[in-house]
Amino acid sequence: MPAWIKTAIKYTISFLLGGILLWYVYKDTNFDTLIHNLKDANLSWLTVSYILAMISHIVRAYRWNLLMEPVNLHPGLRNSFVATMVGYLANTILPRMGEVSRCAVLKKTDNIPVNTSFGTVITERIIDLIVLLLLLAIVLLIEIDRLSAFVLDMLGSKFQGADTGKSILIAFVSVIALVVFMVILFNYLNKRLGKTKFYLSVKNFLKGLTEGLLSIRKLKKKKQFILSTIVIWLCYYYMSYVMFFSLPETSSLGFKAGLAILVLGGLGMAAPSPGGIGSYHWIIMQGLVLYGLTEEQGLLFATLVHSSQMIMLISIGLICVFATFLISRKTKTTSIHENGK
């Protein structure tokens, strides 16, 4: 099958997934009420969220430069920021296109080979994935009681009549059985599919990710890299946390809820739908139900946060696309003058 057909199928599935999830979360929504509630939101907190978002994007560009230093790439903060924002814009249109787009921009502005800069982007994504998984583990630990109650409520029909201890034991045994089954299945597939093209592709991909992660040891400024990563994720946290105060329904939510929304939002945005459309709305809606909100109230918050962030990313992304051409033209002109001399 030609590569362009595979790509077309992949993105068609992505758009379908986003569309189905978006239809599902909004199918029972009264849009007049939703719009009215959005208009009544305290948008002054939106300004604070935007400022935090911009700080995170600038620091992300700086951190990317730190990753490129060991391979002797020095595009400058301005060009890295422009490339980063174009990448965000691309991700709102086509999932996973942002990583390639960022590198393509640096190719235009600084003539940096795409394959060289792409390795640093992969490394960056691995670091963020590890941070997200660590935060997920923390949320699971600090909210174990709330999550247990939620799961038991979902499984209430199966465990009806059983006491809480028995229900938790059944759920625990089920999880252990699932893990054992997955281990057995993995070993079976490893023996049966060990030499297939698909298996080898996955194996090589995981090997590449491991090598990318280990490349962090070559960093010249490790402390700055760690600090910038902390700043990025603190900004991510407060970007969504301050938005709690924009709605009466969420204004009383605290630190734990903010951490849970950060993690759930990250998972929603990581789903293979354009810009997290549908997946973000659904997972945030369900997450806020854990904290006593109705699905309608959770969807209102998800709509406010996602829509406002998308407007910002698209607006700045388009400006940065225009800036890319200006920087590229200026770079070519400078190069011509230097060669002429």
Side-chain angles (χ1 to χ4, degrees):
M1 183 184 293
W4 69 269
I5 294 180
K6 292 180 180 178
T7 303
I9 292 173
K10 180 175 71 174
Y11 287 127
T12 299
I13 293 172
S14 173
F15 278 104
L16 282 174
L17 174 64
I20 291 170
L21 285 172
L22 205 61
W23 167 82
Y24 177 77
V25 296
Y26 283 109
K27 63 183 176 66
D28 298 321
T29 300
N30 184 321
F31 285 97
D32 290 335
T33 303
L34 179 67
I35 294 171
H36 174 75
N37 290 334
L38 287 174
K39 287 180 178 178
D40 285 346
N42 184 350
L43 297 183
S44 59
W45 291 105
L46 185 60
T47 303
V48 179
S49 183
Y50 276 173
I51 292 171
L52 290 166
M54 286 303 299
I55 293 172
S56 75
H57 300 325
I58 293 169
V59 176
R60 178 175 288 280
Y62 169 75
R63 189 183 67 169
W64 190 19
N65 281 355
L66 294 179
L67 282 171
M68 287 189 277
E69 279 186 0
V71 288
N72 202 29
L73 299 177
H74 308 280
L77 183 60
R78 180 197 63 181
N79 291 2
S80 295
F81 173 76
V82 167
T84 298
M85 298 313 297
V86 172
Y88 280 125
L89 174 64
N91 273 338
T92 65
I93 303 169
L94 294 174
R96 306 297 172 264
M97 276 299 293
E99 287 76 5
V100 178
S101 300
R102 285 169 61 177
C103 301
V105 170
L106 285 189
K107 173 66 178 174
K108 275 187 87 68
T109 59
D110 295 82
N111 199 30
I112 293 175
V114 172
N115 61 328
T116 306
S117 58
F118 189 71
T120 62
V121 173
I122 294 298
T123 303
E124 185 188 44
R125 288 305 185 201
I126 294 170
I127 294 298
D128 287 332
L129 176 61
I130 291 172
V131 174
L132 182 62
L133 292 175
L134 286 173
L135 291 174
L136 175 60
I138 292 171
V139 170
L140 291 175
L141 285 173
I142 65 177
E143 292 287 46
I144 187 66
D145 294 336
R146 192 185 300 271
L147 291 170
S148 297
F150 180 72
V151 171
L152 291 176
D153 284 342
M154 289 178 61
L155 302 176
S157 59
K158 294 182 182 288
F159 296 149
Q160 198 162 10
D163 58 38
T164 302
K166 238 182 230 184
S167 300
I168 293 175
L169 179 61
I170 293 172
F172 179 75
V173 171
S174 299
V175 170
I176 294 298
L178 179 61
V179 171
V180 171
F181 170 75
M182 292 301 293
V183 170
I184 294 172
L185 179 63
F186 176 80
N187 288 332
Y188 172 79
L189 292 176
N190 187 40
K191 292 178 181 178
R192 292 283 182 177
L193 306 177
K195 295 182 179 180
T196 64
K197 186 177 179 181
F198 173 76
Y199 179 86
L200 292 174
S201 297
V202 173
K203 187 176 180 180
N204 290 333
F205 175 74
L206 293 175
K207 183 181 178 182
L209 291 183
T210 304
E211 290 174 353
L213 183 58
L214 293 176
S215 69
I216 295 171
R217 294 178 301 180
K218 301 175 184 177
L219 278 173
K220 297 178 181 178
K221 301 174 181 175
K222 292 184 175 66
K223 290 181 180 178
Q224 289 91 327
F225 183 86
I226 293 170
L227 180 61
S228 59
T229 300
I230 293 171
V231 171
I232 288 169
W233 282 91
L234 279 175
C235 286
Y236 284 172
Y237 171 78
Y238 283 107
M239 275 166 55
S240 57
Y241 179 74
V242 297
M243 291 299 288
F244 282 163
F245 305 111
S246 62
L247 296 171
E249 296 86 351
T250 55
S251 60
S252 61
L253 295 177
F255 167 79
K256 292 181 181 180
L259 191 59
I261 293 306
L262 168 65
V263 173
L264 293 175
L267 295 174
M269 294 302 292
S273 62
I277 292 175
S279 56
Y280 179 89
H281 298 77
W282 180 83
I283 199 167
I284 294 298
M285 179 177 72
Q286 297 301 322
L288 287 175
V289 168
L290 287 173
Y291 292 90
L293 274 68
T294 64
E295 288 191 349
E296 290 77 13
Q297 292 168 338
L299 182 57
L300 173 64
F301 178 80
T303 302
L304 176 62
V305 174
H306 188 271
S307 300
S308 60
Q309 288 299 321
M310 285 299 105
I311 290 170
M312 186 194 72
L313 290 178
I314 291 171
S315 301
I316 298 177
L318 289 172
I319 293 171
C320 288
V321 168
F322 180 68
T324 299
F325 290 105
L326 292 180
I327 296 169
S328 177
R329 184 179 296 177
K330 184 178 179 181
T331 303
K332 287 179 182 177
T333 303
T334 304
S335 179
I336 290 171
H337 286 317
E338 290 176 351
N339 290 334
K341 291 178 182 179

